[in-house]
Amino acid sequence: MAIFKYLLPQVGMVYPFQKDFLSKEQRDEQVTAALKQAGIIDTGPGASDTTNKKAVDKALADLFTLVAQPYVTFHLPDEDVNLPGMTQRTGSWVRHIAKPVFTQLIQSLINARVAWYKNPSEPFETNQHSATARKIDVFMDSVEGQVDRAISTLFDNIGEYSVKEYEEDSGEQAGATASSNADRSGSGLDVVMMDVAAVPEEELDQEKLRKGVEAIDIGDNK
């Protein structure tokens, strides 16, 4: 079974060249264990990386849908969002990870999306990107510089793993996780990052979008 990083959605994302996705191997393992416990990652007979990758992509896309929900001003016209069901599914694995890990997971996925905009590769049409990549765009467009607040609010609503438990299990202080630079003044999050699945292709200005994303500086968490 592939390690967590290799179960992540690839299309529309660019990940750093390192073994672990998050800053510590224990953090990757905690997220993987949570996804397994929730039945999203299947390790039983007949399980495959392909199936698990699709399931992880959906789980992460749902996560960004929920974290953006208090801020979102529109829904995709072809999308019927079952928020109670999505909240229950997402909570089934988020409750098994600590808030610092949850925060770094979201910020690292945003970093990977920003990295694609800085160095795009095929497919260039973003409506062909992974569900996670597209939902990150909606999230970034919706929160308008309130990334940290949105992340914290969602975890406080559906997370259960206390900071004390995290510090005891990991041996590190939860407060060491850095805040996202995206919430700082002048971060560039006033630049619109639209979900192109909801906008006709001819109305998109991809060059403007790419330049706007270059102004976003979301800090890595060590």
Side-chain angles (χ1 to χ4, degrees):
M1 186 61 60
I3 61 177
F4 178 60
K5 179 179 177 181
Y6 297 103
L7 292 177
L8 292 170
Q10 300 295 315
V11 183
M13 311 285 279
V14 175
Y15 299 106
F17 294 102
Q18 58 191 39
K19 176 184 175 183
D20 301 310
F21 178 55
L22 303 179
S23 59
K24 296 176 181 290
E25 183 178 0
Q26 297 94 320
R27 292 188 174 195
D28 278 32
E29 290 174 348
Q30 187 178 122
V31 176
T32 302
L35 291 168
K36 287 179 180 178
Q37 190 163 347
I40 294 168
I41 294 178
D42 183 7
T43 57
S48 70
D49 284 349
T50 299
T51 300
N52 283 329
K53 285 178 180 179
K54 290 180 180 179
V56 169
D57 186 23
K58 175 171 173 49
L60 296 176
D62 286 353
L63 177 61
F64 277 98
T65 296
L66 287 177
V67 77
Q69 201 57 220
Y71 306 89
V72 73
T73 57
F74 67 92
H75 297 285
L76 301 187
D78 59 345
E79 185 172 30
D80 183 17
V81 179
N82 177 4
L83 288 178
M86 188 179 294
T87 301
Q88 184 176 13
R89 290 193 305 272
T90 303
S92 70
W93 65 273
V94 168
R95 68 172 57 100
H96 297 297
I97 64 176
K99 189 171 185 176
V101 179
F102 177 80
T103 300
Q104 190 184 17
L105 173 64
I106 292 181
Q107 292 178 342
S108 297
L109 289 166
I110 293 171
N111 286 346
R113 183 58 171 160
V114 170
W116 182 89
Y117 276 110
K118 289 182 175 180
N119 187 24
S121 58
E122 294 184 351
F124 298 111
E125 297 79 7
T126 53
N127 60 351
Q128 296 180 23
H129 289 183
S130 63
T132 299
R134 298 195 309 271
K135 293 303 182 183
I136 290 173
D137 287 353
V138 174
F139 168 69
M140 295 295 283
D141 180 41
S142 302
V143 298
E144 297 182 354
Q146 301 183 72
V147 174
D148 284 348
R149 180 180 179 184
I151 295 171
S152 182
T153 298
L154 180 63
F155 185 89
D156 290 344
N157 287 336
I158 66 176
E160 296 180 359
Y161 196 161
S162 72
V163 170
K164 182 179 179 181
E165 289 174 317
Y166 172 72
E167 291 177 345
E168 290 174 349
D169 290 351
S170 67
E172 64 175 295
Q173 291 187 345
T177 300
S179 295
S180 167
N181 289 338
D183 280 353
R184 300 175 185 173
S185 176
S187 64
L189 282 181
D190 53 335
V191 177
V192 174
M193 293 181 64
M194 63 192 74
D195 187 328
V196 297
V199 183
E201 184 175 352
E202 59 269 21
E203 295 182 13
L204 296 176
D205 187 341
Q206 295 291 342
E207 182 63 23
K208 180 180 179 181
L209 184 59
R210 283 194 294 271
K211 289 181 179 179
V213 172
E214 289 176 358
I216 301 174
D217 179 20
I218 300 175
D220 291 328
N221 292 295
K222 304 298 182 184

